[in-house]
Structure formats: C-alpha cells, structure tokens
Amino acid sequence: MNPYVLTILLSSLGLGTVLTFASSHWLLAWMGLEINTLAIIPIMAQQHHPRAIEATTKYFLTQATAAAMILFASTTNAWLMGEWEIHQLSHPLATTTVMLALTLKLGLAPVHFWLPEVLQGLELTTGLILSTWQKLAPFALMIQTAPTINSSLLVAIGLLSTLVGGWGGLNQTQLRKILAYSSIAHLGWMVLILQFAPSLTLLSLSLYIIMTSSAFLTLKTNNALTINTLATSWTKSPTLAALAALVLLSLGGLPPLSGFMPKWLILQELTKQGLPLSATLAAMTALLSLYFYLRLCYALTLTIYPNTLTATAPWRLNFTMITLPLSIITILALGLLPLTPAVTAMLDC
C-alpha cells in the first residue's frame, strides 16, 4: 500500500477513536465509530486475497449493523426522553439496544461468531490493530453507559464470554483463531467487573493490549500461523521462543507474571461485592483458557522440529526486523506484577 494512503488511513483510525473518546453527544460518538470502521476496511482488504476480502465484508456488515443499532437507540432515547447526551441514556429500550450493539462491536458472547472468522482472514499486523485499537472506542462508550445498564445483564455477558472464549479455543490449530477466542475471554473479564469497578476494567484493558501486542508481534517475528509452524520457533530463536511461552502463560493469568494482576484484583472485587459464585465460575472458565495456552507453550518449547512439516523451511539470513517494540512490550507483559500494591493504592484513591 502507498505510504501516503496508509498514513491517511491510520490518521483517520486515530481520529475516529479520539472523536468517540471526546464526545458527549451520541451523534458525534456514532460519527467517530463510523470513521474508525471506514478507515480500517482498506487496511484489512489490502492483501487482495479472497479470504481477506471475505473477512473485510463480514467485518463491515457486523460493524454497520452495530452502528445502526446505536443510532436507533440514541434516536429513540432522544425521542422518548428528550436527551442526546451519552450520560443521560435512561430509557430501558435504548440502554438495552446500546448494550447489545456495543457487545456486537466488541465481539462479546453471544454475538461473538464474527470475530474468529474475521481475524483468521487477516495478516497478523492488521489482526493486532483489530484486537487492540479497535476495542478502545466501543469500550469508552460502554464505560460511560454502564451505570444505566442492568448489572445482572453485564455479569451474564461477562461470564458467558469467559466461558465461550475458553471453550472455543480448545480445539483450534490456527493461532489467529486461538488469539480471537483469547480476546473474547479477556473482554468477558472486563465486562464482568465493569459496573462495580470501572478502574479495574481500564487496568485489565491496558494489560490485555500489552500482552496481546506481545503475542502478535512474537508470532509475526516467527512467521507462525499454525501450531505446527510454531514448533519450528525454538530452532530459529530459542530466547524468543522461551519469552513467547512466558507471554502466553501471562495471557493465561499465571503468577508471577503480569496477567495474574487483573484476574486477582477482579476476583477480589467480585467477592467484596457479594458475588462469590460469579467469581468461582470466572476462575473455573480461566482454566479452560489456560489449557490452550499451555498447549501452545508445549508446541513452542517441548516439541522437536517435525520432518514432515509442510511449511517453508526457514533460511538463516541476517535479521532485519525492528525488535525494540517487541522487547519493550514483552518486558511489560511479564514483569508488572510487583507493581500491584502501587496499582491498588492508585485504584483506592
């Protein structure tokens, strides 16, 4: 893609998200979401491959449906209650419709079916943008509207998403689909705690973005798209393979890695709010996710390069890829747990 065109598209992507962040009016927020969607579509379709075109079409139809629902809900609220402000969303029909639309935009269960299919058709860099940056604007709206939404609905969506995210990734061999189900599970944890502690949701979102970026960049560096190809990573770069295994365990939420921090604080907050059953169910669904992360770790570090592999054998050429972003993000994905007391002190302020 032409660098000038790419610069314009990425600038529009940033503009759409910032516009949604800054808006207090539903029409401005909707406009920001639309700019965001229209900017990423050419980036998704730049491969000119039928699979990429199919993924782009599915993504466009899904996001257009969600945007239409948001516009319908905000118009309904303005008609019935006379309010266009995001914070003044008060009619039950409007709040429920907006919640379902944002759930669809984020890919939360039970309207998650588009996310694994779309992510599977994209290259890893575009998949990284879709899994991280594209979640920010809908989450900003969800955090603003959460106080008006039924807490039982949010908890149910959160628990269902953690269950679907864990269960759906069990039988997958494609790494992009595994990361899509991982995304659904992590977003479920964020929605679970959204109404009780929004600051914990932001903490979870920040750490999710760091860990997912590290995972995507590691896979891109290794040029791995399936579990079989992942088994060749140790031969090419043992250090990177070992760090990638730790990043996956961090995504799974194992101590003493960074990913343990949000899960620990969320379970603690749920127990404080008198929801021990929800906390127990969430912890049990985390075990499902942990299984497929351990499966990837096994393929990364404990398997020998298979001789019958159909993938292209890697040539030992001089490495030209810039690895500084990967290094910084990997350090953050692994070593933030000791900062937990500082984080809890900031959250309590």
Side-chain angles (χ1 to χ4, degrees), residues 226-281:
T226 62
I227 293 181
N228 278 346
T229 320
L230 201 62
T232 67
S233 300
W234 190 267
T235 316
K236 288 189 280 185
S237 175
T239 309
L240 186 60
L243 288 173
L246 289 174
V247 168
L248 290 169
L249 292 177
S250 184
L251 274 167
L254 279 187
L257 303 167
S258 299
F260 178 63
M261 188 204 301
K263 286 186 168 61
W264 170 22
L265 295 175
I266 287 171
L267 292 176
Q268 183 178 319
E269 185 63 32
L270 285 173
T271 311
K272 281 183 188 174
Q273 296 290 340
L275 295 167
L277 183 60
S278 299
T280 307
L281 287 172

Side-chain angles (χ1 to χ4, degrees), residues 94-139:
T95 53
T96 308
T97 309
V98 161
M99 183 61 199
L100 287 174
L102 293 174
T103 302
L104 181 61
K105 264 199 171 296
L106 288 166
L108 287 161
V111 283
H112 65 281
F113 298 101
W114 64 270
L115 184 57
E117 296 299 321
V118 167
L119 211 57
Q120 176 60 25
L122 304 176
E123 61 177 14
L124 288 167
T125 312
T126 316
L128 171 60
I129 296 172
L130 190 70
S131 301
T132 54
W133 185 261
Q134 291 299 94
K135 308 293 184 192
L136 296 178
F139 244 108

Side-chain angles (χ1 to χ4, degrees), residues 16 33 38 42 82 101 121 133 143 147 149 192 242 253 302 342:
L33 292 173
L38 293 174
W133 185 261
I143 288 171
I149 296 168
L192 192 57
L302 296 173

Side-chain angles (χ1 to χ4, degrees), residues 19-323:
L19 189 62
T20 305
F21 282 170
S23 57
S24 59
H25 194 284
W26 272 113
L27 278 181
L28 268 178
W30 173 81
M31 199 182 302
L33 292 173
E34 285 299 285
I35 292 170
N36 208 324
T37 303
L38 293 174
I40 200 173
I41 281 174
I43 300 174
M44 294 170 71
Q46 65 179 326
Q47 280 182 293
H48 301 297
H49 188 275
R51 194 72 186 82
I53 302 300
E54 180 190 340
T56 308
T57 308
K58 286 177 180 175
Y59 181 77
F60 174 73
L61 292 174
T62 308
Q63 299 299 308
T65 304
M69 287 173 70
I70 289 172
L71 197 58
F72 167 74
S74 55
T75 310
T76 303
N77 192 68
W79 179 34
L80 296 174
M81 312 301 292
E83 281 291 346
W84 277 103
E85 296 291 311
I86 292 175
H87 294 286
Q88 301 295 330
L89 193 70
S90 51
H91 195 273
L93 175 62
T95 53
T96 308
T97 309
V98 161
M99 183 61 199
L100 287 174
L102 293 174
T103 302
L104 181 61
K105 264 199 171 296
L106 288 166
L108 287 161
V111 283
H112 65 281
F113 298 101
W114 64 270
L115 184 57
E117 296 299 321
V118 167
L119 211 57
Q120 176 60 25
L122 304 176
E123 61 177 14
L124 288 167
T125 312
T126 316
L128 171 60
I129 296 172
L130 190 70
S131 301
T132 54
W133 185 261
Q134 291 299 94
K135 308 293 184 192
L136 296 178
F139 244 108
L141 292 177
M142 192 175 273
I143 288 171
Q144 291 179 74
T145 54
T148 62
I149 296 168
N150 186 358
S151 59
S152 302
L153 177 64
L154 283 172
V155 170
I157 288 173
L159 285 175
L160 187 60
S161 297
T162 57
L163 180 64
V164 166
W167 218 323
L170 289 181
N171 201 30
Q172 300 296 333
T173 57
Q174 297 289 332
L175 297 178
R176 286 168 293 183
K177 279 194 176 181
I178 288 176
L179 287 171
Y181 283 109
S182 164
S183 173
I184 293 167
H186 278 90
L187 294 174
W189 280 86
M190 296 172 214
V191 171
L192 192 57
I193 201 68
L194 181 58
Q195 206 165 42
F196 308 114
S199 52
L200 271 184
T201 298
L202 289 174
L203 173 69
S204 302
L205 182 60
S206 306
L207 282 170
Y208 159 76
I209 288 173
I210 289 169
M211 294 184 294
T212 305
S213 302
S214 182
F216 268 100
L217 290 174
T218 304
L219 296 180
K220 184 167 178 58
T221 306
N222 284 327
N223 198 21
L225 295 176
T226 62
I227 293 181
N228 278 346
T229 320
L230 201 62
T232 67
S233 300
W234 190 267
T235 316
K236 288 189 280 185
S237 175
T239 309
L240 186 60
L243 288 173
L246 289 174
V247 168
L248 290 169
L249 292 177
S250 184
L251 274 167
L254 279 187
L257 303 167
S258 299
F260 178 63
M261 188 204 301
K263 286 186 168 61
W264 170 22
L265 295 175
I266 287 171
L267 292 176
Q268 183 178 319
E269 185 63 32
L270 285 173
T271 311
K272 281 183 188 174
Q273 296 290 340
L275 295 167
L277 183 60
S278 299
T280 307
L281 287 172
M284 290 177 70
T285 56
L287 295 175
L288 290 171
S289 300
L290 186 60
Y291 173 78
F292 62 74
Y293 293 128
L294 285 171
R295 186 167 161 233
L296 292 181
C297 290
Y298 175 79
L300 257 173
T301 57
L302 296 173
T303 52
I304 301 172
Y305 181 87
N307 294 324
T308 56
L309 189 66
T310 55
T312 310
W315 287 87
R316 292 189 174 275
L317 300 174
N318 289 330
F319 199 72
T320 56
M321 190 176 292
I322 300 170
T323 54

